Amino acid sequence: AARGRADARVERRVRKLLRRMTVEEKFGQLQQLTWNPDTGPGEGQNEKAREAAAEGRLGSVLNITGAEECNELQRYAVEESRLGIPLVFGLDVIHGFLTTFPVPLAQGASFDPGVVTADAEVSAREAASWGVHWTFAPMADVSREPRWGRIAEGSGEDPYLTAELTAAKVRGYQGEDYSEKGRLAACAKHFVGYGFPEGGRDYNTVDISERRLRDIALPPFKAAVDAGVATVMASFNTVNGVPAHANRHTLTGILHEDLGFDGFVVGDYNGVQELIPHGVAADGADAAALALGAGVDMEMVSTTYADNGPELLKSGRIDRQRLDDAVTRILRVKVRMGLFENPYTDEDGQIAEPTAAARRNAREAAARCAVLLKNDDATLPFGKDLSRLAVVGPLGDDTQELHGTWAGPGAGKFPAVSVLEGVRKAAPDAKVTFARGCDVTGEETGGLSKAVAAVRSADAAVVVVGEKASHSGEAACRSDITLPGVQEELIRRVAKTGKPFVVVVLAGRPLVLSGVVGHAPAVLAGWHPGLEGGNAVADVLFGDVNPGGRLPVTFPRAVGQVAEYYAHENTGRPYEADNKYTSKYLDLAHGPLFPFGHGLSYTAFAYSRLTLSEQSVSARSVRDGSATVRASVTVENTGSRKGDEVVQLYIRDKVASIAQPVRRLRGFERITLDAGESRTVSFELGAADLGFHTNDPSGELLVEPGEFGVYAGGSSEAELHTTLTLT
């Protein structure tokens, strides 16, 4: 009731303000300009922003930070314009502001909404103190394309996991009320289908069925809307031939009408203008009419709305009601932000550096995100009584690449803790030597012998390899996702020494590690772990943290295997080892190198007693929401030390009117068990879990009678199963 009264007050205030606005002021609210050109093509628009703000013809500015600078620009809008409507300042706060957390894909590996929320809360406090109101995050794009650089910004290949973590991040940024001090308005991006570009090339064409759109791409956005996300960003790509910025079916039909989203849609950088090279608009006027008509409320950087809007309105190519709807949505969010009451930021409250608590949060997060991929002969954890230890590899002493892509202004101010530093702190009595061996890229091998010599003189070694931060993220796609340069050669030479060693892989994407796992006894995926990355990696290597991260995305055996993902549909000729005429490669072993959900621990877990509250239930009762089924499984720590397990539940619709994935994740929970401890974990299955969408553009959801396999275990290859029947 209180929320309803608050919403009514917001709407009254917006309507009253809307009645006072001129056409030019309305179009001004639809305009966002950039304070600098750092995130894309184009020139800085600083002077234009000042003039437009003072004249009441500007709604937002992106890339401006600093309480003093933000306040100075805000004064033009609040104190000089006719209506005093404040500006909203937006920034890409992706995985940290001053305190860099692991990249979002790494956070997906935590399978822990708490990690995601901690990042968002710390980021919001820091960024808000610098005058930022609005972050262009979380990225809700599901992707099964490891060549695509922006896979680093999402939560991986699975719609259920991505939905859970997207909602958690929205709540972390916004809290219960994003007008509160230290909060940011969130923006779910990129709407929609951006994670499925042909060839893994950024901005490229997406061709996706309505069914896959609704069952794979949309669930995270629905979760964001249900969590109260303030804004949504349109994507750069076409969807089935229609550019996202001109797609009324997705922006209006699905987002507003089906999902009930009442915030505003912002275009991506220059995205409205780019309708021209897409080939659906002849000029800026065409682009403006298409984008506004489709549902893009605020134009980012390009100025087709402001330049052409009044004339388009006069000629009838833009509908007045749609213009008022767009302005209403923007003003609604500004009122909810509390900008009219508090347009300025306290300049004395600007946070200067990461606090000890923020660093602690970042370190804990990075350790929870680490995934132990391989650990033959219990190579890890290392004992702290090692007398001699070698750290080698091009990222061993790095303090910059560990921040990862889209790291925020803190990355340029505060060096990350290197793995070398973390190891030295963790083993203070050991003699730790370092040799880089080679660069991340390039073919120079002259330094390899020095690295090998360091390993020969040590009791054990840590080989730190991977990608640069610039190798992933926007416009950072790779056709070859093996380790760059001669890093694999370094690993092969280290292996020949016979010394125990671990390969620590620091990257923003799943890499092809076939040339690594065949030589290394232990492999740890540390991702790009952020400010406290080196300490977190050392925590895992020496056993202060028992690794519990799991892969949020499949690791393929070879680039030619892409796209390789667990939730594929069966062919009519599924793989058979001894039958040539089944779906497989002639030159590659079947299946992934490491499956979705995979991850090892320093202890072991056993699953038993997978039960259902009902073995049989009517499909109709599930569809109408009157019935759900509870699946329960018992997990026991059968090892000798405390550890984390990610309990995962999958379902398979065995026979359906449309071919279904061989498995779909429908529940997960990260739990901590002492040695010998057991626990029963339960998950509820309802219509969203047991149903699927058809290709009907209206979004038909079917829950059909039939048998469902229910699987529980520690990865997508879980074997423990039972059967549920819908009648």
mmCIF file of all heavy atoms in Angstrom, residues 203-226:
data_model
loop_
_atom_site.group_PDB
_atom_site.id
_atom_site.type_symbol
_atom_site.label_atom_id
_atom_site.label_comp_id
_atom_site.label_asym_id
_atom_site.label_seq_id
_atom_site.Cartn_x
_atom_site.Cartn_y
_atom_site.Cartn_z
ATOM 1 N N TYR A 203 28.928 -6.523 -32.280
ATOM 2 C CA TYR A 203 27.976 -5.713 -33.038
ATOM 3 C C TYR A 203 27.350 -6.478 -34.214
ATOM 4 O O TYR A 203 26.585 -5.901 -34.983
ATOM 5 C CB TYR A 203 28.615 -4.413 -33.586
ATOM 6 C CG TYR A 203 29.553 -3.717 -32.648
ATOM 7 C CD1 TYR A 203 30.875 -3.491 -32.990
ATOM 8 C CD2 TYR A 203 29.118 -3.280 -31.396
ATOM 9 C CE1 TYR A 203 31.749 -2.847 -32.132
ATOM 10 C CE2 TYR A 203 29.991 -2.632 -30.526
ATOM 11 C CZ TYR A 203 31.300 -2.421 -30.890
ATOM 12 O OH TYR A 203 32.159 -1.785 -30.040
ATOM 13 N N ASN A 204 27.661 -7.756 -34.347
ATOM 14 C CA ASN A 204 27.276 -8.477 -35.547
ATOM 15 C C ASN A 204 25.838 -8.990 -35.477
ATOM 16 O O ASN A 204 25.188 -8.965 -34.425
ATOM 17 C CB ASN A 204 28.237 -9.645 -35.793
ATOM 18 C CG ASN A 204 28.299 -10.064 -37.242
ATOM 19 O OD1 ASN A 204 27.812 -9.357 -38.118
ATOM 20 N ND2 ASN A 204 28.904 -11.205 -37.510
ATOM 21 N N THR A 205 25.376 -9.496 -36.611
ATOM 22 C CA THR A 205 24.013 -9.993 -36.781
ATOM 23 C C THR A 205 23.676 -11.101 -35.795
ATOM 24 O O THR A 205 24.501 -11.975 -35.521
ATOM 25 C CB THR A 205 23.868 -10.543 -38.216
ATOM 26 O OG1 THR A 205 24.118 -9.480 -39.134
ATOM 27 C CG2 THR A 205 22.487 -11.115 -38.455
ATOM 28 N N VAL A 206 22.441 -11.060 -35.282
ATOM 29 C CA VAL A 206 21.905 -12.138 -34.452
ATOM 30 C C VAL A 206 20.653 -12.672 -35.132
ATOM 31 O O VAL A 206 19.739 -11.916 -35.451
ATOM 32 C CB VAL A 206 21.565 -11.636 -33.037
ATOM 33 C CG1 VAL A 206 20.786 -12.709 -32.265
ATOM 34 C CG2 VAL A 206 22.837 -11.254 -32.286
ATOM 35 N N ASP A 207 20.638 -13.974 -35.372
ATOM 36 C CA ASP A 207 19.468 -14.621 -35.965
ATOM 37 C C ASP A 207 19.023 -15.686 -34.981
ATOM 38 O O ASP A 207 19.701 -16.693 -34.792
ATOM 39 C CB ASP A 207 19.830 -15.244 -37.321
ATOM 40 C CG ASP A 207 18.620 -15.410 -38.224
ATOM 41 O OD1 ASP A 207 17.497 -15.208 -37.734
ATOM 42 O OD2 ASP A 207 18.797 -15.750 -39.401
ATOM 43 N N ILE A 208 17.901 -15.450 -34.335
ATOM 44 C CA ILE A 208 17.479 -16.293 -33.223
ATOM 45 C C ILE A 208 15.968 -16.476 -33.300
ATOM 46 O O ILE A 208 15.233 -15.537 -33.603
ATOM 47 C CB ILE A 208 17.903 -15.647 -31.874
ATOM 48 C CG1 ILE A 208 17.628 -16.555 -30.687
ATOM 49 C CG2 ILE A 208 17.269 -14.287 -31.680
ATOM 50 C CD1 ILE A 208 18.249 -16.028 -29.384
ATOM 51 N N SER A 209 15.523 -17.679 -33.059
ATOM 52 C CA SER A 209 14.091 -17.944 -33.118
ATOM 53 C C SER A 209 13.371 -17.256 -31.959
ATOM 54 O O SER A 209 13.976 -16.917 -30.932
ATOM 55 C CB SER A 209 13.824 -19.451 -33.058
ATOM 56 O OG SER A 209 14.179 -19.974 -31.793
ATOM 57 N N GLU A 210 12.078 -17.072 -32.117
ATOM 58 C CA GLU A 210 11.275 -16.499 -31.032
ATOM 59 C C GLU A 210 11.365 -17.365 -29.782
ATOM 60 O O GLU A 210 11.433 -16.864 -28.663
ATOM 61 C CB GLU A 210 9.819 -16.363 -31.474
ATOM 62 C CG GLU A 210 8.932 -15.635 -30.481
ATOM 63 C CD GLU A 210 9.131 -14.127 -30.469
ATOM 64 O OE1 GLU A 210 9.701 -13.604 -31.461
ATOM 65 O OE2 GLU A 210 8.725 -13.473 -29.490
ATOM 66 N N ARG A 211 11.389 -18.673 -29.972
ATOM 67 C CA ARG A 211 11.463 -19.592 -28.831
ATOM 68 C C ARG A 211 12.765 -19.407 -28.058
ATOM 69 O O ARG A 211 12.777 -19.303 -26.831
ATOM 70 C CB ARG A 211 11.353 -21.030 -29.339
ATOM 71 C CG ARG A 211 11.509 -22.095 -28.275
ATOM 72 C CD ARG A 211 11.351 -23.480 -28.887
ATOM 73 N NE ARG A 211 12.427 -23.791 -29.824
ATOM 74 C CZ ARG A 211 13.608 -24.295 -29.452
ATOM 75 N NH1 ARG A 211 13.855 -24.508 -28.172
ATOM 76 N NH2 ARG A 211 14.527 -24.573 -30.343
ATOM 77 N N ARG A 212 13.883 -19.372 -28.785
ATOM 78 C CA ARG A 212 15.158 -19.186 -28.096
ATOM 79 C C ARG A 212 15.269 -17.780 -27.510
ATOM 80 O O ARG A 212 15.872 -17.594 -26.453
ATOM 81 C CB ARG A 212 16.318 -19.463 -29.055
ATOM 82 C CG ARG A 212 16.502 -20.937 -29.357
ATOM 83 C CD ARG A 212 17.829 -21.204 -30.022
ATOM 84 N NE ARG A 212 18.110 -22.638 -30.106
ATOM 85 C CZ ARG A 212 19.299 -23.149 -30.403
ATOM 86 N NH1 ARG A 212 20.309 -22.338 -30.667
ATOM 87 N NH2 ARG A 212 19.476 -24.448 -30.457
ATOM 88 N N LEU A 213 14.712 -16.813 -28.199
ATOM 89 C CA LEU A 213 14.696 -15.461 -27.651
ATOM 90 C C LEU A 213 14.041 -15.458 -26.275
ATOM 91 O O LEU A 213 14.572 -14.891 -25.314
ATOM 92 C CB LEU A 213 13.951 -14.532 -28.606
ATOM 93 C CG LEU A 213 13.865 -13.064 -28.197
ATOM 94 C CD1 LEU A 213 15.191 -12.368 -28.427
ATOM 95 C CD2 LEU A 213 12.753 -12.355 -28.962
ATOM 96 N N ARG A 214 12.883 -16.107 -26.173
ATOM 97 C CA ARG A 214 12.113 -16.062 -24.926
ATOM 98 C C ARG A 214 12.641 -17.026 -23.867
ATOM 99 O O ARG A 214 12.558 -16.724 -22.674
ATOM 100 C CB ARG A 214 10.642 -16.336 -25.222
ATOM 101 C CG ARG A 214 9.970 -15.191 -25.984
ATOM 102 C CD ARG A 214 8.490 -15.431 -26.172
ATOM 103 N NE ARG A 214 7.850 -14.340 -26.903
ATOM 104 C CZ ARG A 214 7.301 -13.262 -26.338
ATOM 105 N NH1 ARG A 214 7.331 -13.130 -25.017
ATOM 106 N NH2 ARG A 214 6.733 -12.324 -27.068
ATOM 107 N N ASP A 215 13.177 -18.168 -24.266
ATOM 108 C CA ASP A 215 13.627 -19.144 -23.279
ATOM 109 C C ASP A 215 15.079 -18.949 -22.857
ATOM 110 O O ASP A 215 15.469 -19.410 -21.778
ATOM 111 C CB ASP A 215 13.459 -20.568 -23.820
ATOM 112 C CG ASP A 215 12.020 -21.048 -23.778
ATOM 113 O OD1 ASP A 215 11.217 -20.428 -23.065
ATOM 114 O OD2 ASP A 215 11.699 -22.044 -24.461
ATOM 115 N N ILE A 216 15.882 -18.279 -23.691
ATOM 116 C CA ILE A 216 17.310 -18.141 -23.377
ATOM 117 C C ILE A 216 17.699 -16.692 -23.125
ATOM 118 O O ILE A 216 18.304 -16.365 -22.101
ATOM 119 C CB ILE A 216 18.170 -18.737 -24.508
ATOM 120 C CG1 ILE A 216 17.824 -20.218 -24.706
ATOM 121 C CG2 ILE A 216 19.657 -18.578 -24.180
ATOM 122 C CD1 ILE A 216 18.480 -20.841 -25.921
ATOM 123 N N ALA A 217 17.349 -15.802 -24.048
ATOM 124 C CA ALA A 217 17.813 -14.417 -23.939
ATOM 125 C C ALA A 217 16.994 -13.578 -22.966
ATOM 126 O O ALA A 217 17.533 -12.687 -22.294
ATOM 127 C CB ALA A 217 17.811 -13.758 -25.315
ATOM 128 N N LEU A 218 15.705 -13.826 -22.866
ATOM 129 C CA LEU A 218 14.833 -12.937 -22.089
ATOM 130 C C LEU A 218 14.776 -13.181 -20.580
ATOM 131 O O LEU A 218 14.550 -12.227 -19.824
ATOM 132 C CB LEU A 218 13.410 -12.979 -22.646
ATOM 133 C CG LEU A 218 13.174 -12.136 -23.904
ATOM 134 C CD1 LEU A 218 11.772 -12.378 -24.440
ATOM 135 C CD2 LEU A 218 13.368 -10.662 -23.620
ATOM 136 N N PRO A 219 14.928 -14.408 -20.073
ATOM 137 C CA PRO A 219 14.759 -14.609 -18.627
ATOM 138 C C PRO A 219 15.575 -13.674 -17.730
ATOM 139 O O PRO A 219 15.049 -13.183 -16.725
ATOM 140 C CB PRO A 219 15.140 -16.081 -18.434
ATOM 141 C CG PRO A 219 14.732 -16.723 -19.714
ATOM 142 C CD PRO A 219 15.077 -15.705 -20.776
ATOM 143 N N PRO A 220 16.843 -13.360 -18.043
ATOM 144 C CA PRO A 220 17.559 -12.422 -17.174
ATOM 145 C C PRO A 220 16.957 -11.020 -17.168
ATOM 146 O O PRO A 220 16.985 -10.329 -16.142
ATOM 147 C CB PRO A 220 18.975 -12.421 -17.744
ATOM 148 C CG PRO A 220 19.100 -13.731 -18.443
ATOM 149 C CD PRO A 220 17.750 -13.968 -19.043
ATOM 150 N N PHE A 221 16.412 -10.586 -18.294
ATOM 151 C CA PHE A 221 15.781 -9.266 -18.336
ATOM 152 C C PHE A 221 14.470 -9.268 -17.550
ATOM 153 O O PHE A 221 14.149 -8.294 -16.875
ATOM 154 C CB PHE A 221 15.564 -8.836 -19.785
ATOM 155 C CG PHE A 221 16.839 -8.491 -20.499
ATOM 156 C CD1 PHE A 221 17.496 -9.436 -21.271
ATOM 157 C CD2 PHE A 221 17.407 -7.232 -20.369
ATOM 158 C CE1 PHE A 221 18.682 -9.134 -21.910
ATOM 159 C CE2 PHE A 221 18.594 -6.918 -21.001
ATOM 160 C CZ PHE A 221 19.240 -7.873 -21.779
ATOM 161 N N LYS A 222 13.735 -10.362 -17.639
ATOM 162 C CA LYS A 222 12.529 -10.471 -16.818
ATOM 163 C C LYS A 222 12.896 -10.414 -15.342
ATOM 164 O O LYS A 222 12.226 -9.741 -14.542
ATOM 165 C CB LYS A 222 11.780 -11.767 -17.114
ATOM 166 C CG LYS A 222 10.486 -11.925 -16.305
ATOM 167 C CD LYS A 222 9.788 -13.229 -16.588
ATOM 168 C CE LYS A 222 8.435 -13.292 -15.874
ATOM 169 N NZ LYS A 222 8.519 -13.068 -14.415
ATOM 170 N N ALA A 223 13.972 -11.105 -14.970
ATOM 171 C CA ALA A 223 14.410 -11.083 -13.575
ATOM 172 C C ALA A 223 14.798 -9.671 -13.145
ATOM 173 O O ALA A 223 14.517 -9.253 -12.011
ATOM 174 C CB ALA A 223 15.588 -12.039 -13.380
ATOM 175 N N ALA A 224 15.442 -8.926 -14.048
ATOM 176 C CA ALA A 224 15.813 -7.545 -13.736
ATOM 177 C C ALA A 224 14.577 -6.677 -13.534
ATOM 178 O O ALA A 224 14.512 -5.873 -12.595
ATOM 179 C CB ALA A 224 16.693 -6.973 -14.846
ATOM 180 N N VAL A 225 13.596 -6.811 -14.429
ATOM 181 C CA VAL A 225 12.364 -6.035 -14.302
ATOM 182 C C VAL A 225 11.642 -6.401 -13.008
ATOM 183 O O VAL A 225 11.173 -5.527 -12.274
ATOM 184 C CB VAL A 225 11.453 -6.263 -15.525
ATOM 185 C CG1 VAL A 225 10.080 -5.624 -15.307
ATOM 186 C CG2 VAL A 225 12.107 -5.686 -16.778
ATOM 187 N N ASP A 226 11.574 -7.691 -12.701
ATOM 188 C CA ASP A 226 10.924 -8.122 -11.467
ATOM 189 C C ASP A 226 11.648 -7.586 -10.231
ATOM 190 O O ASP A 226 11.024 -7.376 -9.184
ATOM 191 C CB ASP A 226 10.865 -9.650 -11.405
ATOM 192 C CG ASP A 226 9.900 -10.243 -12.422
ATOM 193 O OD1 ASP A 226 9.083 -9.482 -12.978
ATOM 194 O OD2 ASP A 226 9.969 -11.467 -12.666
#
